[in-house]
Amino acid sequence: MEDKNYVVIYNDQGYFLCESKDSPNDIFESDNTIVTFGKNFIEFFFFSKNNNNNNNPNNNNPKIEKKYEISINNNNNNDNTFNNNNNENEILCFELYNKFFICGHRSGFISTWCIAPNVYLKHQGQSKVSNSAINKIFYYKEISNAKDYLYLCCSDGIVHKFSLTEGKVELSSDKFEQEIVDIKLVNDFDNQNLLIISIKNGALKVLDMNLKYLFDIPSRFSYNDIRYVISLKNPESTNDNNNTKGNLLIITEGSYLDIYMWIKPGSFKMINTHHHGPHPNYHKQNQPHFQGGFFGQNQPFQGYQ
């Protein structure tokens, strides 16, 4: 059987698909447009629902069509700035910044692509910012002083803070034990911005916005594969008369989901069985606490009500 790649959309009618040249590493979707980023190509797909036709009811079925592709290794400007090694040029992630796609490459480069008429995307340039693959990019706009930053998570275990204003890396984190695969912006109980990075060995590290390490969020099951984090508004916080409940963190643990909640510093005391020895003050005063979780698809919800 021939090995092929597809872009697939699911809806209440089932699914519909279109063949792609690459297996996407990252996907952008807006309105009726899908853009995929992969090893060799940036590909553009459009999905639509045809007008109803009494003579052909199937015309009302949704469809997805490929409209355009850009070769990463032979980009629009036909320059030779990318490495000739196709493996190194592979796009692993992207971030949308104004009217630009900023892409992270396996080579440690970031490249910039401008949204342009007729050609869809036009390659603007690139910069070497890391000695290892860039697995994830997070864009942060610091409104107070109008500086824009990219946080770059790299396979060598380092996070870089890249200034879009200056066009250079301003800060780098300590080197963590394995490669970093994801990053999320969260707010603690005091509504301070923090970063949580997901490491390949299952560790979750909490950093401040200047990449200083604060504490770990340990796995209750000693899970040693990638854990992901989503921050959610706590529906109970508006009815909390004591003002002790903050936002929620949903954390994956393999096939499980754990729910943590930020609490008011000093409002809750518990014995931390995951650690032995002293902890940083921040860890004791302002860390999220476990509230419960889903334990398998057919098990009742436990813990947080």
Side-chain angles (χ1 to χ4, degrees):
M1 184 175 180
E2 187 178 358
D3 186 20
K4 293 184 178 181
N5 300 305
Y6 294 93
V7 172
V8 185
I9 296 177
Y10 293 86
N11 64 9
D12 56 359
Q13 299 179 25
Y15 69 91
F16 49 107
L17 54 83
C18 183
E19 187 175 347
S20 62
K21 284 191 175 180
D22 267 348
S23 176
N25 291 322
D26 212 346
I27 297 176
F28 169 80
E29 184 273 329
S30 178
D31 297 327
N32 66 336
T33 303
I34 296 174
V35 185
T36 64
F37 300 84
K39 182 177 180 180
N40 298 300
F41 294 95
I42 301 173
E43 300 178 76
F44 291 78
F45 301 84
F46 291 83
F47 57 94
S48 63
K49 193 170 185 178
N50 292 337
N51 294 327
N52 193 17
N53 185 325
N54 293 330
N55 296 325
N56 186 1
N58 290 331
N59 277 354
N60 199 37
N61 291 337
K63 66 176 182 178
I64 179 171
E65 295 179 294
K66 180 175 175 178
K67 293 293 187 180
Y68 194 76
E69 69 183 40
I70 298 172
S71 173
I72 301 169
N73 305 300
N74 183 23
N75 58 73
N76 292 337
N77 290 346
N78 293 317
D79 58 32
N80 297 314
T81 49
F82 282 111
N83 194 311
N84 289 329
N85 184 341
N86 294 358
N87 237 3
E88 293 295 299
N89 297 340
E90 180 176 5
I91 295 176
L92 301 178
C93 56
F94 80 93
E95 185 64 274
L96 186 63
Y97 172 66
N98 294 334
K99 293 185 177 181
F100 296 88
F101 283 102
I102 300 178
C103 300
H105 293 257
R106 186 174 297 280
S107 59
F109 275 81
I110 56 172
S111 62
T112 305
W113 304 77
C114 177
I115 299 174
N118 302 322
V119 296
Y120 293 90
L121 286 181
K122 184 177 181 181
H123 177 240
Q124 296 292 103
Q126 61 285 314
S127 176
K128 179 78 170 179
V129 296
S130 172
N131 293 322
S132 67
I134 300 172
N135 292 329
K136 193 72 175 179
I137 298 177
F138 165 65
Y139 163 57
Y140 174 71
K141 182 176 179 62
E142 192 171 357
I143 298 176
S144 59
N145 59 8
K147 288 186 178 180
D148 294 346
Y149 293 101
L150 298 176
Y151 288 89
L152 312 173
C153 297
C154 301
S155 62
D156 60 2
I158 297 175
V159 184
H160 299 288
K161 185 178 181 180
F162 181 86
S163 170
L164 288 164
T165 306
E166 303 294 332
K168 65 179 182 180
V169 172
E170 284 194 355
L171 291 171
S172 296
S173 71
D174 292 335
K175 184 180 176 69
F176 294 101
E177 59 267 30
Q178 287 191 22
E179 68 177 288
I180 304 167
V181 296
D182 199 23
I183 185 169
K184 287 291 188 298
L185 178 71
V186 302
N187 297 114
D188 66 9
F189 181 84
D190 296 320
N191 208 32
Q192 297 297 308
N193 288 333
L194 298 174
L195 299 168
I196 299 180
I197 57 172
S198 299
I199 297 180
K200 195 171 184 179
N201 64 1
L204 292 177
K205 308 283 185 181
V206 181
L207 314 178
D208 67 16
M209 299 306 289
N210 287 320
L211 303 181
K212 179 184 176 182
Y213 166 78
L214 299 175
F215 58 87
D216 278 40
I217 301 177
S219 168
R220 296 190 312 114
F221 305 102
S222 299
Y223 189 65
N224 58 4
D225 205 345
I226 301 169
R227 299 157 69 207
Y228 293 96
V229 175
I230 296 176
S231 179
L232 294 177
K233 182 71 175 177
N234 187 350
E236 284 194 359
S237 60
T238 55
N239 299 320
D240 178 18
N241 294 328
N242 295 322
N243 191 30
T244 59
K245 298 177 180 179
N247 288 338
L248 303 176
L249 293 181
I250 312 299
I251 299 176
T252 64
E253 295 265 350
S255 59
Y256 305 154
L257 290 176
D258 273 352
I259 301 178
Y260 285 74
M261 181 173 64
W262 294 98
I263 64 167
K264 184 177 181 179
S267 66
F268 184 77
K269 294 182 179 180
M270 66 178 294
I271 298 174
N272 191 331
T273 59
H274 294 284
H275 294 280
H276 303 281
H279 306 295
N281 289 334
Y282 194 96
H283 189 183
K284 290 188 292 185
Q285 293 297 320
N286 205 356
Q287 71 173 36
H289 290 279
F290 176 70
Q291 296 296 306
F294 293 99
F295 295 87
Q297 289 184 340
N298 298 319
Q299 296 298 319
F301 180 80
Q302 301 181 17
Y304 182 78
Q305 298 295 318

